[in-house]
Amino acid sequence: MTSGEVRVRRRQWWAWVIAALLVAAAAAPLVYEWLTNPDDQRLVDLDVYRTGGQMLLDGRPVYDYFTPAPQLLPFTYPPVAAMLAVGLAGMSWETAQWVWTAGIFVALAVTVGFSFRPLLVRESLRKYAPWVFALLMVLCTYLMPIRDQVRFGQVDILLVALCVADCVARRPWWPRGGS
């Protein structure tokens, strides 16, 4: 590695930090809008996941309980989903909302990173990669599917990120399914 490459990599590190801050600033109005809704009108799907986890912690049947009014939503996921939600059930509602919302954006970053990797690693754009990535993140953040992820606290973008990572990763460190 030449000294010029070292300087570029150091500059890239700071550029990635600034790009992440720009994404956070751009996403803040959306997050603020939905996380300040009345308690019963925000992240209702997250409430369903947490309720499933809480039922397991309480030793109660997962499928016999509904979230509080006005939604009255049942847990309709496989039992393993309730087991995975136990950690969320152990958090306060406020903490779970912030952790889940941050997770949405981490999953979106994984999805954008893998999906747009050919563009981001292109030699002609490499030095602009943090800015291109930030632009793509902001654009995706304000598309309806991600807006709904933040509004309802859905699990979809996490599933998309897992699928994309599994299918697109060149040399994953995790075991893959298949033959």
Side-chain angles (χ1 to χ4, degrees), residues 106-162:
V106 168
L108 180 61
V110 168
T111 303
V112 168
F114 277 117
S115 299
F116 292 96
R117 181 174 50 202
L119 176 68
L120 296 169
V121 299
R122 188 177 295 164
E123 191 63 42
S124 61
L125 290 178
R126 187 168 295 171
K127 68 181 179 179
Y128 303 109
W131 315 115
V132 173
F133 179 81
L135 177 64
L136 291 167
M137 281 288 294
V138 171
L139 291 174
C140 289
T141 294
Y142 281 90
L143 293 174
M144 190 53 77
I146 300 303
R147 292 173 62 96
D148 280 352
Q149 295 292 302
V150 176
R151 178 181 182 188
F152 297 114
Q154 297 171 332
V155 72
D156 304 348
I157 192 63
L158 173 62
L159 299 175
V160 169
L162 291 171

Side-chain angles (χ1 to χ4, degrees), residues 17-60:
V17 170
I18 293 168
L21 292 172
L22 289 172
V23 171
L30 175 70
V31 171
Y32 179 79
E33 178 182 354
W34 294 118
L35 290 187
T36 57
N37 268 353
D39 237 7
D40 64 345
Q41 297 296 312
R42 68 173 175 253
L43 300 166
V44 294
D45 290 344
L46 174 59
D47 195 23
V48 172
Y49 311 145
R50 289 182 75 240
T51 299
Q54 190 62 51
M55 293 303 97
L56 284 183
L57 290 173
D58 294 346
R60 297 167 60 190

